């Protein structure tokens, strides 16, 4: 399974790598793998996280299929 670094994910999402650092500290955002000081994100986890964030309006993510 392909892995993304913090910088690669930040570039993919057009955000600052520091935002991802803050999310990890707060327990927000996608799950990640930490080996020593290195943080990696599994691409399949990122794709699932992105899918869960799809919104139909400004109230938040869609809660289920057929809504």
């Amino acid at each position: 399974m392909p892995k993304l670094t913090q910088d690669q994910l930040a570039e993919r999402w057009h955000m600052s790598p520091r935002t991802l650092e803050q999310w990890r500290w707060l327990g927000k955002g996608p799950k990640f793998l930490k080996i020593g000081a290195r943080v990696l994100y599994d691409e399949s986890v990122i794709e699932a996280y992105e899918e869960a964030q799809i919104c139909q309006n400004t109230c938040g993510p869609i809660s289920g299929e057929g809504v």
Side-chain angles (χ1 to χ4, degrees):
M1 289 185 228
K3 306 281 190 262
L4 299 172
T5 65
Q6 172 179 290
D7 289 337
Q8 290 169 326
L9 182 56
E11 184 176 329
R12 176 176 175 152
W13 284 353
H14 307 285
M15 64 172 40
S16 167
R18 297 283 296 162
T19 299
L20 293 171
E21 290 174 12
Q22 185 177 38
W23 284 5
R24 287 194 307 272
W25 187 80
L26 294 171
K28 295 173 51 175
K31 293 182 180 179
F32 58 93
L33 173 66
K34 185 163 175 131
I35 301 175
R38 185 160 185 167
V39 173
L40 298 170
Y41 294 89
D42 188 287
E43 194 165 32
S44 64
V45 171
I46 296 304
E47 290 170 357
Y49 183 83
E50 290 171 341
E51 186 69 27
Q53 302 307 307
I54 294 175
C55 299
Q56 188 167 358
N57 56 46
T58 58
C59 293
I62 298 172
S63 60
E65 293 295 319
V67 176

